[in-house]
Structures are given as C-alpha cells and as structure tokens.
Amino acid sequence: MTIRAREASKLFNSNKLAALADGDYSYVEKVAREFLNQDVSKIAVCDIYDHTYQRLSQEYRSEYYFKNTIARRRLLGRHSLKTATMLSEFRVGSSKADCVILNGKSTCYEIKSEYDTLNRLEEQLNDYLKLFDEVYVVCSAKNLESVLKAADERVGVLELTRKNYFSEKRAATPRVDPINVDLLVKSLRKEEYIELVRRNTGVIPSVPNSKLVSFCKSALKTVDPEQIATSFIEVLKEKRLNDSNLLNALPSSLINAAISYQFSSLQVEALKSIFGACKESRCISHTSEESSLS
C-alpha cells in the first residue's frame, strides 16, 4: 500500500509533530513505509523528514512548503535570528498574513500556491498595505499572471520556481502612507499595544478594560507615524521572538514548524532530543568515514 504526496505532507502538520514529541512514531513510520518505501528499522527520523520534504518539493508544494522556503531563504538566508523575527498567520483586520518578517522594516508575504484561489486577495492586500512597510505575494507559475493582474501595483510579486528559488517578478513599493493606527491596535495583543503606548508616550494606561483600546488608539495617534512604525517592529520582535534553540535543533525542513507551531515545553525538549540525536549521529558517522579514509 502506498500513500500520495498530499497525505505524506501531513508529516509536517502541528498535530503530527506534537504526536511525535509525545512518543507516537506511527505516522512517521507510515510515511517511511508507504511513501518512501523504506524499512523503518534502517532509516532515522530526520532522514524520513528530509527525504519526504525533498519529494514534496517536486510533487506537492503546499502552503507549508512555501512558508518554509520563505523562512529558509528570506529569514535565515538574508538575516540573523539575532536581528530578525518571522511571524506566521499574523492577524491584520479580517485577514491573516501568512508570513511577516521583521528586521529594520516589516515585510509581509501572502502565499498563493497552485492550490489556492485568489478570491480574497484584493481584500487581504488592502489590509496589509495599511500596516507593513512592504508587501509581497508569493506564488507558483500556475497563477503568476493572475496575481500580477489582481495585485495592487504597490505589491511585489515573487514566483517560487520549479527549482525552488524565488524569482522577483515585481518589486514591492515601500509604504508611504502613515501606518493605520486603528488597524495596528486591532492586530496586536493587549500587552503589545500597551507596551507600544508606553514606549511612545511614556504613559502606562490605567483605564478600565472597556476603555483601554480606545485610550491606546487615541494616545498613539498623537505620535509621529514613522515612530509608531519603528516601535511596532521593535515591540513585536521582543514579544514574539523566535525560539533559536529549537530552530537550530530541527532539520531545515522544519524551520517553519519551529516558527509557526505552539508546543509545550516538554514537547519542545522532546523534539530537540529526537532531531538533535539525528544530527549527532550524522556527525559521528561522517567523522568515522573520514577516519577510515585517512
């Protein structure tokens, strides 16, 4: 019995990784047997993930694959975890931005894979353009022309090529309009917009909860918009810091998982142990091979 690429891609879902962390290897073994045709007793967990990811890069590039490629090539390829943070599914008005990378500026990436429709694209981009410094749509060749026609001219367009590199088809135009404070406050968590007010006005709000949002919006509207835009990035980088220890412990196919998924502290330690052991055994094996050749 074999399984298709779409089903195998569930290996990268949060619930499957949580199950693995809790000691349930059943789905990992199923993918090894029925998708990779491997003897589970002769292949390491990290190799199952790597080999599956490699096949999916040719057979089924899901939203997860796009996000992981953004994390690899944009977050880690261009920046450092010491200076940049990536957010996943960041709420903006009635939309959720697939990926947002924060360094000295805020860059939003909206994914439109070949399995997505463009039904809400205009609405989504209208929200993002009010908040982020730059906005991109990342798409496959299948819907490239449709995206170029549908997206606002200020929005950049990146094609994820068949070789799994980004090809910039249109550069993003940096935001020139003032950041939309109402939308910003609506997009932040309570502790984040309170901190934003404190940093920019020196005031710690002491009003009833029923009046807190209104107070914070009014306070922030007295501040220079560019100062707000800069502070917004700084606050989010501090409050939503990526777990560099987990990122460094997991294979490159799971970078997005470390960023996007919420695991318990016990699950985090278990995943670090499972994949850390794989990396260590690879190093030992590699060293042994070098010794035998010398």
Side-chain angles (χ1 to χ4, degrees):
M1 181 178 178
T2 59
I3 60 175
R4 295 181 181 274
R6 183 170 183 172
E7 186 175 353
S9 72
K10 294 177 183 177
L11 190 66
F12 298 90
N13 288 358
S14 59
N15 59 340
K16 300 301 183 187
L17 279 163
L20 175 63
D22 292 337
D24 180 358
Y25 285 69
S26 60
Y27 199 77
V28 176
E29 293 173 353
K30 176 184 175 72
V31 170
R33 288 192 307 269
E34 300 178 21
F35 185 65
L36 299 177
N37 297 316
Q38 293 283 338
D39 182 341
V40 295
S41 66
K42 296 180 180 179
I43 185 169
V45 171
C46 51
D47 290 327
I48 294 171
Y49 272 87
D50 284 349
H51 295 169
T52 301
Y53 189 79
Q54 181 59 37
R55 274 192 61 180
L56 293 176
S57 73
Q58 301 301 317
E59 298 177 28
Y60 185 73
R61 300 193 304 178
S62 63
E63 181 180 290
Y64 179 91
Y65 188 86
F66 274 71
K67 281 187 177 182
N68 202 65
T69 306
I70 291 169
R72 289 176 60 201
R73 299 202 180 279
R74 294 285 161 142
L75 176 66
L76 301 183
R78 293 187 171 189
H79 309 294
S80 161
L81 290 175
K82 293 180 180 179
T83 59
T85 295
M86 179 169 143
L87 311 179
S88 176
E89 300 297 315
F90 182 76
R91 182 172 293 281
V92 183
S94 59
S95 306
K96 282 188 178 180
D98 289 318
C99 299
V100 177
I101 293 180
L102 306 168
N103 56 318
K105 63 182 178 182
S106 58
T107 306
C108 172
Y109 298 92
E110 178 62 26
I111 294 166
K112 294 300 176 187
S113 75
E114 60 187 274
Y115 309 106
D116 293 324
T117 70
L118 306 186
N119 292 344
R120 294 193 61 244
L121 183 61
E122 182 178 358
E123 178 186 354
Q124 291 170 313
L125 296 179
N126 284 340
D127 284 337
Y128 306 152
L129 287 166
K130 296 173 184 175
L131 198 60
F132 302 112
D133 294 322
E134 293 183 355
V135 178
Y136 280 91
V137 176
V138 186
C139 63
S140 62
K142 179 181 177 181
N143 51 23
L144 175 60
E145 291 305 317
S146 297
V147 167
L148 284 167
K149 290 178 182 177
D152 186 290
E153 62 182 12
R154 294 169 292 175
V155 175
V157 178
L158 297 173
E159 178 195 350
L160 182 60
T161 69
R162 294 313 305 176
K163 292 184 177 180
N164 297 306
Y165 285 90
F166 290 125
S167 174
E168 185 171 273
K169 301 303 182 181
R170 186 167 75 203
T173 301
R175 178 181 51 78
V176 293
D177 295 328
I179 195 167
N180 187 305
V181 170
D182 290 340
L183 186 62
L184 173 61
V185 172
K186 186 178 179 181
S187 302
L188 298 178
R189 298 168 182 165
K190 179 180 176 180
E191 66 271 19
E192 292 167 349
Y193 59 72
I194 288 176
E195 175 61 14
L196 198 59
V197 169
R198 186 196 68 78
R199 289 192 185 199
N200 287 281
T201 68
V203 174
I204 299 176
S206 58
V207 296
N209 281 335
S210 60
K211 298 181 179 180
L212 182 60
V213 170
S214 177
F215 176 89
C216 289
K217 287 179 180 179
S218 297
L220 291 172
K221 287 176 182 178
T222 67
V223 181
D224 176 65
E226 286 311 302
Q227 183 178 327
I228 295 293
T230 300
S231 297
F232 146 64
I233 293 170
E234 293 172 350
V235 168
L236 283 181
K237 283 170 64 178
E238 291 179 14
K239 298 291 186 180
R240 306 198 195 187
L241 188 67
N242 297 141
D243 185 342
S244 59
N245 289 329
L246 180 58
L247 274 165
N248 291 329
L250 298 185
S252 61
S253 61
L254 290 174
I255 294 171
N256 176 58
I259 293 169
S260 298
Y261 302 155
Q262 297 295 315
F263 300 109
S264 70
S265 57
L266 288 176
Q267 289 172 333
V268 167
E269 292 307 312
L271 290 172
K272 286 162 65 175
S273 177
I274 291 167
F275 290 101
C278 283
K279 287 187 175 182
E280 185 176 338
S281 66
R282 282 175 173 175
C283 290
I284 293 171
S285 174
H286 184 63
T287 303
S288 299
E289 288 174 5
E290 288 182 339
S291 298
S292 67
L293 292 172
S294 60

